[in-house]
Amino acid sequence: MAEAEGEFDLRSLDDAELIEQVHDDMYNGLKDEVEQATHIFLERGWKPDKVLNDALVEGMRIVGIDFRDGILFVPEVLLAANAMKGGMAILRPLLAETGAEPIGKIVIGTVKGDIHDIGKNLVGMMLEGAGFEVIDLGINNAVEKYLDALEKHQPDFLGMSALLTTTMPYMKVVIDTLKEKQLREKYIVIVGGAPLNEEFGKAIGADAYCRDAAIAVETAKRLLAERRAARVH
Ligand code: B1M
């Protein structure tokens, strides 16, 4: 009953009000409400990527600002993250709807010491949506985990994500280990995460740094096409 009432309330809002409400609900960690709002936007004909960006990603951006400023703390941010994941789970099949043969394969994971996974999950979802097969290793991956997965799945790409300045250097550990084992050239390495930048990507020897999920998709397609073209010649 309470849920039905909540749903009625959300439906009575126009799009602009509902966007504000979903940001508030995410801030307050209200997963059910965020899920309801996600459904409502889709029913109103919003494209899944617009719901993702305007409702969920923007909501988390606001949470991030107050986390940085010491207004929100880890437990609240965890609840917000959980609410965001609820919305993402609804969008996932819609973003991943291709049905075609995979155009390439990627092993992706957050590096050792780092448990942030929302951005990495988003990148995985968008790559799936673009037709890639995605093998997601989850969070806190030591170099051995990456190596085992590369050996097992033989992907085109290794993707690493890091959200902390303290964990981003671990990406270099992984790349250096690939070099030591003469495996570096076998894989295209892409990296991303809020504290990284282009310069860092170059410095650690990645093939590309990707600022966001859309750029990750664009970059992956481009690098794979380049590699395949180079093999032909
Ligand atoms: Co954390 N945290 N956190 N946190 N957290 C940040 C990253 C921080 C910037 C917050 C802040 O102070 N402003 C700060 C890092 C500061 C720094 O290192 N300079 C921080 C901190 C300090 C911490 C803890 C140390 C806090 C503590 O315990 N005192 C702790 C560390 C835990 C650990 O990992 N060992 C911690 C914990 C947490 C939670 C668990 C509470 C939670 C994570 C929940 C989860 O992920 N399941 C959390 C969250 C949610 C955040 C913020 C608020 C949001 C991150 C997020 O999900 N953003 C974040 C503040 C911020 O970033 N504004 C913060 C939304 C997401 C869509 O964006 O992840 O950037 P993002 O991903 C983007 C791009 O970066 C890119 O594409 C994505 C989509 O467009 N991208 C890739 C990401 N990976 C990619 C890979 C690619 C390509 C592109 O190719 C492979």
Side-chain angles (χ1 to χ4, degrees), residues 68 77 113 115-119 161 163-165 193-194 210-213:
R68 180 196 63 204
V77 179
I115 63 168
H116 295 85
D117 67 353
I118 294 175
S161 179
L163 264 286
L164 299 171
T165 45
C210 308
R211 198 184 63 229
D212 61 32

Side-chain angles (χ1 to χ4, degrees), residues 28-228:
N28 293 314
L30 302 175
K31 186 178 182 203
D32 286 351
E33 283 75 359
V34 171
E35 289 173 347
Q36 279 172 26
T38 304
H39 282 303
I40 296 170
F41 283 124
L42 292 171
E43 283 161 24
R44 289 183 186 176
W46 282 43
K47 294 245 163 62
D49 60 337
K50 184 169 166 62
V51 183
L52 179 68
N53 289 321
D54 294 7
L56 304 183
V57 173
E58 177 58 16
M60 185 50 81
R61 192 186 68 79
I62 298 166
V63 169
I65 293 170
D66 279 5
F67 188 33
R68 180 196 63 204
D69 295 343
I71 297 164
L72 287 180
F73 296 95
V74 171
E76 290 114 320
V77 179
L78 266 177
L79 284 174
N82 190 42
M84 176 158 183
K85 284 184 178 180
M88 277 166 65
I90 294 164
L91 298 176
R92 184 189 184 100
L94 304 172
L95 291 166
E97 230 166 47
T98 79
E101 275 290 294
I103 57 171
K105 204 194 269 191
I106 179 165
V107 160
I108 190 169
T110 303
V111 297
K112 187 176 165 186
D114 201 320
I115 63 168
H116 295 85
D117 67 353
I118 294 175
K120 183 261 302 160
N121 294 348
L122 212 56
V123 172
M125 275 165 55
M126 299 287 281
L127 283 167
E128 267 178 15
F132 286 85
E133 182 182 347
V134 177
I135 295 117
D136 187 344
L137 306 182
I139 55 173
N140 192 24
N141 285 288
V143 62
E144 297 77 17
K145 282 268 296 283
Y146 287 115
L147 290 176
D148 288 352
L150 293 173
E151 170 71 26
K152 182 172 169 201
H153 299 285
Q154 298 291 319
D156 305 289
F157 293 88
L158 168 63
M160 291 186 280
S161 179
L163 264 286
L164 299 171
T165 45
T166 48
T167 58
M168 59 191 236
Y170 195 77
M171 293 175 164
K172 184 167 183 323
V173 174
V174 178
I175 292 176
D176 287 351
T177 309
L178 287 176
K179 284 183 189 159
E180 273 163 33
K181 296 188 176 296
Q182 318 288 328
L183 289 170
R184 175 64 188 87
E185 296 314 313
K186 212 173 152 190
Y187 307 105
I188 304 170
V189 179
I190 62 170
V191 295
L196 280 65
N197 58 31
E198 196 83 42
E199 208 183 344
F200 176 80
K202 283 206 180 90
I204 62 169
D207 291 291
Y209 153 74
C210 308
R211 198 184 63 229
D212 61 32
I215 291 176
V217 170
E218 232 171 70
T219 308
K221 282 184 175 169
R222 177 176 54 79
L223 292 176
L224 191 57
E226 282 172 12
R227 174 159 292 204
R228 286 179 177 160

